[in-house]
Amino acid sequence: MSKEDTKESHPVAANSNGKPLTNGKPVASSNIKSAKQNEANTLPPQKSVIIAYILWLFGGIFGLHHLYLHRDRHAFIWLSTLGGYFGIGWLAEIFLIPEYVRDANEDPEFIKSFVSRLQANRRPPYSARRFVGEVMIGYLFGQLVLMAIPETIFGGIDWSFLHWLIPVFVSLGVWTVGNIGRERGVWWHCLIGAILIYPMRYFIYDETYSLLLTALVSALVFDTYSKQWLRTPPRRHGIAERTIKLSAALILYLSCWCCFLYFNGTITDEEGGEVPIHEALRNFLTSAWWTDFTQALKDTYQYGQHHGWYETWKEIFESMDVDGERNSYKVLGVGATASQAEITSAYRKLSKEFHPDKVKDEKLKATANQRFIEIQQAYNVLSKIKSSRRRKNKKSVDEEPIVL
């Protein structure tokens, strides 16, 4: 890096008409545009260490601090592994965040240190932390694809041929980790290494070891032949482009998990047998409960169209019985139009009938006690509601104007 690259830019002066001047002479508009572009490239928006630490503390396992610092690949890895294998990597970053912030701000001290590393090492030196991360993420992505492939014939097709996608995803995991920060490399080197070693699965029957070997070789090829310094400042994409890329990666990642659950996941029934999730889902969608539920939704929609959505919501809210009034009438065995005297009479009668002291059988005493408690609660609920309504009605009558 030359001395000219490290010089600080000076503000552009302007004449009385507002036109910029350089050495007392007006500057052409094209030069102004070029100067603005250079300033935008050399002076990125400054990030705060405090904000980075706050995001690390409250959303670090989801990579929020990396999104804030424009480290989108790092954020995706944290999202897909919940903070680097359930928070291990997240905790290890507590002392690295200041350096991440200096990198994002292109701090002069960081640039000076980075230049010294460039001069000392033609290629990035070996990093055990990065290499282990490449192997672990490559193995994770490969294992995820392996789990997502249907284990049985589905739709009349044997999907086992999709296992050749495993080296592709292994290499993508290695490449993603290898391109975090100020290091970079091409993907096809990782892919070639993964494809060349992948046939060893036919000799190593344990998928765990064959996948681990594939990820290990792919990472070795990347570190040996592909890894280079990122000598130019990282390109800062717009929020729309970043959102699209990150969303696409997350959709692909979550789709693999959904395929695994749908095709190969199982649930345990009452008898202890395992039922595939896709069969359980199909049975659920044809069950009487689901049929009744969908019919209720259709009826509610039609009712809303004819009577209005306000009345529909009012009916739904009343049917929820949030105040317990309907259930209390049912417990006491009285109608919705019952007076306070009728409610009190029903309460006294049922209280005597189900009082725990009158039940001699010890087996029935617990049931009677529960019933006695329900009766008391129902009486209290209805008494409270009736009293509240009487107060409201009295207030409404008192506030009515006297007509002469």
Side-chain angles (χ1 to χ4, degrees):
M1 185 178 292
S2 61
K3 294 182 179 179
E4 287 78 2
D5 296 331
T6 59
K7 287 182 179 179
E8 297 181 356
S9 58
H10 297 281
V12 180
N15 61 10
S16 58
N17 295 326
K19 295 182 179 180
L21 298 174
T22 301
N23 297 328
K25 297 180 180 180
V27 181
S29 60
S30 60
N31 293 337
I32 298 173
K33 181 186 263 188
S34 177
K36 289 183 178 179
Q37 290 176 347
N38 291 334
E39 184 179 1
N41 292 331
T42 56
L43 298 174
Q46 299 296 286
K47 306 298 181 180
S48 168
V49 175
I50 296 176
I51 295 177
Y53 266 115
I54 291 174
L55 294 175
W56 170 85
L57 181 61
F58 295 103
I61 61 173
F62 303 113
L64 292 185
H65 57 301
H66 290 305
L67 288 175
Y68 171 67
L69 299 175
H70 284 253
R71 300 171 64 89
D72 293 350
R73 290 189 180 92
H74 213 156
F76 171 69
I77 296 299
W78 260 218
L79 271 170
S80 57
T81 60
L82 291 180
Y85 281 90
F86 304 101
I88 297 176
W90 169 72
L91 287 173
E93 287 183 322
I94 188 170
F95 300 111
L96 298 176
I97 290 179
E99 182 181 356
Y100 293 160
V101 174
R102 289 193 294 269
D103 184 6
N105 292 337
E106 296 183 17
D107 183 77
E109 292 297 326
F110 176 85
I111 297 299
K112 183 179 179 180
S113 174
F114 180 64
V115 170
S116 65
R117 281 187 288 166
L118 287 177
Q119 295 172 347
N121 302 281
R122 187 176 61 87
R123 299 177 69 252
Y126 171 77
S127 170
R129 181 165 60 92
R130 185 182 289 263
F131 182 79
V132 171
E134 292 169 356
V135 174
M136 292 177 70
I137 299 303
Y139 177 86
L140 171 65
F141 287 5
Q143 183 68 37
L144 182 57
V145 174
L146 178 63
M147 295 190 304
I149 299 173
E151 296 175 353
T152 58
I153 295 177
F154 192 85
I157 302 175
D158 183 3
W159 298 94
S160 60
F161 67 91
L162 292 177
H163 73 84
W164 285 105
L165 289 175
I166 292 176
V168 177
F169 278 78
V170 169
S171 61
L172 281 173
V174 172
W175 175 80
T176 301
V177 177
N179 279 262
I180 291 175
R182 294 277 177 163
E183 297 183 14
R184 65 180 178 88
V186 294
W187 171 53
W188 63 270
H189 286 159
C190 311
L191 180 61
I192 289 176
I195 290 177
L196 289 178
I197 198 62
Y198 183 67
M200 289 297 294
R201 71 188 296 268
Y202 297 108
F203 302 97
I204 304 175
Y205 295 105
D206 193 332
E207 292 285 357
T208 301
Y209 295 111
S210 62
L211 269 177
L212 181 60
L213 180 62
T214 303
L216 184 63
V217 171
S218 180
L220 284 172
V221 171
F222 180 85
D223 274 24
T224 305
Y225 298 102
S226 185
K227 186 167 67 172
Q228 300 291 335
W229 290 112
L230 181 61
R231 296 178 179 272
T232 58
R235 182 187 169 194
R236 299 184 178 274
H237 303 283
I239 188 171
E241 184 178 354
R242 294 174 62 201
T243 302
I244 291 173
K245 289 183 177 180
L246 185 60
S247 300
L250 283 175
I251 289 172
L252 180 61
Y253 179 78
L254 294 176
S255 297
C256 291
W257 277 111
C258 291
C259 289
F260 160 66
L261 293 174
Y262 182 76
F263 293 116
N264 301 324
T266 59
I267 58 175
T268 305
D269 58 16
E270 296 178 354
E271 299 178 354
E274 292 186 349
V275 181
I277 286 181
H278 62 269
E279 290 185 9
L281 184 61
R282 184 173 62 249
N283 296 333
F284 170 73
L285 294 177
T286 57
S287 65
W289 184 92
W290 178 255
T291 303
D292 294 341
F293 176 72
T294 53
Q295 185 61 44
L297 291 178
K298 292 178 182 177
D299 294 342
T300 302
Y301 178 75
Q302 293 175 356
Y303 184 89
Q305 285 185 319
H306 287 88
H307 299 86
W309 292 108
Y310 175 77
E311 289 296 328
T312 304
W313 168 247
K314 188 177 178 181
E315 289 286 339
I316 294 174
F317 186 78
E318 290 179 357
S319 65
M320 290 179 181
D321 194 24
V322 292
D323 55 3
E325 182 178 7
R326 291 189 178 186
N327 183 62
S328 298
Y329 284 127
K330 183 178 179 182
V331 170
L332 295 180
V334 296
T337 58
S339 64
Q340 182 63 44
E342 293 173 332
I343 292 172
T344 303
S345 177
Y347 163 69
R348 289 174 178 174
K349 178 182 177 181
L350 292 173
S351 297
K352 292 178 181 179
E353 181 181 351
F354 290 97
H355 198 284
D357 294 340
K358 292 189 176 184
V359 180
K360 304 302 181 182
D361 192 346
E362 293 294 333
K363 295 180 180 179
L364 300 177
K365 183 166 287 190
T367 304
N369 184 57
Q370 181 64 32
R371 175 73 170 146
F372 182 75
I373 294 173
E374 290 178 356
I375 292 168
Q376 285 186 319
Q377 290 176 344
Y379 176 72
N380 292 333
V381 167
L382 292 180
S383 298
K384 183 179 179 181
I385 292 175
K386 292 285 186 180
S387 176
S388 176
R389 287 175 181 171
R390 283 197 300 268
R391 286 196 303 268
K392 288 182 179 178
N393 292 335
K394 183 179 179 180
K395 183 178 179 181
S396 177
V397 171
D398 292 342
E399 290 179 354
E400 287 184 357
I402 301 175
V403 180
L404 299 177

